[in-house]
Amino acid sequence: MKKFLAILLIALLHCLGAQPTTQPEPSIAERWEIVTDIYIGVQTEQLTEAERQSYGAMLPRHQGLRIKRVIPGSPAEEAGLQVGDLLLKNNGARIDSMEDLLLSVRNTRPGEFIHFAILRDGQRLPVTIKVAALPEPVVVAYATCRQRDLPGMVSIVENQRRIAGILAVAEPNLQAIYDEFNEINKLFPSLARPGHIRLYYETASGYATVTAYTDKIIVTVPRGQQVDVYNLLQQGDTLPGAVRQLFR
């Protein structure tokens, strides 16, 4: 599993294609992350032009990804996908790149289905895969003050500062926090969705984190060897004074 997670991380970072910036270093935090918690269990590769031509009319121009590995025990293996299969379409949309494949997975939830059209031994076949959840979310892209791998990092810092200010007051405006996260999500239309942006805030005992899901905002605070978790579910929910102080 660890090897698979490393493969998934490399593939998703490749699709992000972000460029570092030269903006002044922010001071409010040191890390931002995008995470994913779902997978189908294949590693793919692009075809060379010579390989495409060898398929002739069977393979439409610019279409198709070749499966070079199927993760044992994964949804892909259970669905019958094999090494060498060409993924042509997902839910009716053609697959031109790894990003197309990732988008089809990112737009589903665990337990939902993706309907693929594949090419195997010269025959087109339908394959349906049930998307599964990873045991733990996997970081697919991140930035730090020194390693700026996310686009719009300066903008994220501004959002993050405002979120800190909101959390520092006695009764935080939860809708305002959601609005700030929505602005961050817009920077990553192919990767981010609610619950997949995690913001880090440095404290004396480690990093506090803030994550906005569709139904709650979760704040975690390190305390020795433990982590305290606070759920803000509705307007009126508050954080303890000592936690609010961390965001000032």
Side-chain angles (χ1 to χ4, degrees):
M1 175 62 76
K2 289 183 178 179
K3 185 175 180 181
F4 161 65
L5 297 184
I7 292 170
L8 178 64
L9 171 59
I10 292 170
L12 289 173
L13 283 174
H14 172 77
C15 289
L16 187 63
Q19 299 296 322
T21 69
T22 57
Q23 299 293 333
E25 289 190 356
S27 59
I28 191 163
E30 292 191 359
R31 189 176 177 97
W32 305 259
E33 291 180 348
I34 299 177
V35 301
T36 188
D37 58 359
I38 54 178
Y39 85 124
I40 61 172
V42 294
Q43 185 182 6
T44 62
E45 61 186 354
Q46 300 281 164
L47 297 173
T48 66
E49 187 57 36
E51 288 171 334
R52 288 186 175 281
Q53 292 178 2
S54 70
Y55 285 95
M58 291 186 295
L59 184 63
R61 183 175 174 80
H62 300 311
Q63 192 170 328
L65 279 179
R66 180 169 53 217
I67 296 177
K68 65 178 182 179
R69 187 184 176 209
V70 178
I71 308 301
S74 68
E77 183 184 61
E78 293 178 2
L81 285 180
Q82 301 175 11
V83 172
D85 289 345
L86 298 185
L87 301 176
L88 303 179
K89 291 186 177 182
N90 53 281
N91 295 335
R94 73 182 193 182
I95 300 175
D96 295 344
S97 65
M98 284 190 291
E99 186 171 17
D100 291 336
L101 176 59
L102 293 170
L103 281 171
S104 70
V105 178
R106 291 283 298 179
N107 290 330
T108 60
R109 298 291 188 273
E112 295 181 347
F113 295 90
I114 300 178
H115 304 282
F116 286 99
I118 71 168
L119 184 64
R120 177 188 297 166
D121 298 329
Q123 290 187 313
R124 281 178 172 251
L125 302 171
V127 175
T128 298
I129 296 180
K130 186 177 182 180
V131 175
L134 287 165
E136 296 181 1
V138 179
V139 177
V140 298
Y142 72 93
T144 67
C145 289
R146 296 177 182 83
Q147 183 174 340
R148 300 169 180 213
D149 292 332
L150 295 184
M153 193 186 74
V154 172
S155 174
I156 295 175
V157 173
E158 294 172 355
N159 297 122
Q160 193 164 6
R161 282 200 181 98
R162 289 192 288 268
I163 290 170
I166 297 169
L167 291 172
V169 303
E171 184 176 323
N173 184 333
L174 301 193
Q175 184 56 54
I177 295 177
Y178 282 120
D179 291 342
E180 296 293 343
F181 270 97
N182 287 336
E183 289 302 312
I184 297 174
N185 286 337
K186 291 177 183 178
L187 296 173
F188 314 104
S190 66
L191 291 177
R193 71 180 191 216
H196 283 209
I197 297 291
R198 181 185 298 152
L199 302 179
Y200 282 67
Y201 296 83
E202 189 173 12
T203 73
S205 57
Y207 286 106
T209 71
V210 181
T211 309
Y213 293 84
T214 55
D215 58 346
K216 60 187 173 183
I217 295 166
I218 296 181
V219 178
T220 70
V221 177
R223 182 169 55 87
Q225 298 300 314
Q226 299 180 337
V227 176
D228 293 333
V229 179
Y230 302 94
N231 294 307
L232 303 177
L233 303 175
Q234 58 187 356
Q235 188 60 37
D237 289 348
T238 62
L239 295 171
V243 175
R244 296 200 303 270
Q245 187 67 33
L246 298 175
F247 293 98
R248 292 175 181 164

